[in-house]
Amino acid sequence: MRVDQFDFELPEELIAQTPLKNRDMSRLMVLNKKTGEIKHEVFHQIIDYLKPNDTLVLNNTKVMPARLMGQKQDTGAHIEVLLLKQEQDDCWETLVKPAKRVKVGTVVEFGDGRLKAECIQTGEMGKRIFKFVYEGIFYEVLDSLGEMPLPPYITEKLDDRDRYQTVFAKEIGSAAAPTAGLHFTTELLEKIKSKGVNIAYVTLHVGLGTFRPVSATSVEEHEMHAEFYQMSQETADLLNETRQKGGRIITVGTTSTRTLETIARNHQTFKACEGWTDIFIYPPYEFKGIDGMLTNFHLPKSTLIMLISALAGQESIMNAYRIAVEEKYRFFSFGDAMLIIEE
């Protein structure tokens, strides 16, 4: 399958630069995955499409303030370091700019030396492994020195960094937010529960590779990045019970979707487990773990638009995206949402 089948023209002004004042007032496109029918709603109306005994699955990962601005210890040159994932102890895989200035043995200081990092390994495309040295608790130091790692297409400064966290964020470790979850308020989630809809949580720590456009010409040639996931016994039991009672499992975001599909395909059921997944979902694909999903509007030629095309069909998704552009929906992390479901 050709990657350019997932390309589309997106006017730059439709890329949302800031979040709306009220999380649940974004627009919501509802796409019937069977018929292709489209409805236009406001996000808080998602409750009208959920039924008692359905289970809504949220990713409770928490974004690290993972962007660090530092200086080389020997020359004072400015270095930007983005934490990607923890390797072991105080060693982290990172993305560095400008990478050519950082070689094995280079020491970078942050916050007047409160945090130091020595490069112990170099990799391709700006990847570096750093060993960090500090006093106290690493995440407390990071919280005081780091900045939120907003995607490169967001050029405006974020005044309130909590707006790049979901209201249910709990397990720290992501380099980017699971953005479909940003639309929910605590009050809306309580209303959904009051309707008899179950709320379940999984954890998948989002890596930046999630948002990377596919550089290969054919979909099958693309190599997916790996991300860490966890499912608790409580969630596994709830999902299996939902299946037994005939309820629908609706994931919030591509990250929750990839987690459930990984577990369902590996174990033919849901079970408490953790591990690394590099599952790459694209058409044609038979979903084992989910019945519907909520998602934002994605980058052209990204693995994310391929995933939702597997759920609703490539022609249906590309048509929905054409309509989203015509109707001036807001795109990407702080943009509007799409619910893909069969009513």
Side-chain angles (χ1 to χ4, degrees), residues 56-113:
L56 198 64
V57 184
L58 309 173
N59 182 4
N60 65 1
T61 188
K62 189 172 186 178
V63 185
M64 303 178 291
R67 179 169 278 121
L68 291 162
M69 310 303 291
Q71 297 83 36
K72 285 181 67 175
Q73 190 179 60
D74 54 354
T75 67
H78 291 283
I79 302 293
E80 178 180 331
V81 175
L82 182 65
L83 303 181
L84 296 180
K85 66 180 181 183
Q86 190 170 10
E87 293 289 324
Q88 56 183 7
D89 299 327
D90 291 313
C91 295
W92 285 76
E93 180 187 24
T94 70
L95 199 60
V96 173
K97 291 194 300 188
K100 62 182 179 182
R101 292 183 176 176
V102 178
K103 299 176 174 57
V104 172
T106 298
V107 176
V108 182
E109 296 184 337
F110 312 92
D112 298 324

Side-chain angles (χ1 to χ4, degrees), residues 31-38 316 341-342:
L31 173 64
N32 188 308
K33 68 174 185 173
K34 187 174 182 180
T35 67
E37 179 188 1
I38 288 172
S316 184
I341 204 165
E342 187 177 335

Side-chain angles (χ1 to χ4, degrees), residues 29-39 49 248 291 311-313 316-317 320 338-343:
M29 177 185 285
V30 182
L31 173 64
N32 188 308
K33 68 174 185 173
K34 187 174 182 180
T35 67
E37 179 188 1
I38 288 172
K39 296 179 182 178
Y49 295 88
R248 299 175 301 175
D291 302 295
L311 183 61
S316 184
I317 287 294
M338 173 190 282
L339 178 65
I340 303 171
I341 204 165
E342 187 177 335
E343 296 179 58

Side-chain angles (χ1 to χ4, degrees), residues 79 81 150 177 197 254 262 320 336:
I79 302 293
V81 175
L150 296 179
V197 178
T254 57
T262 296
D336 297 315

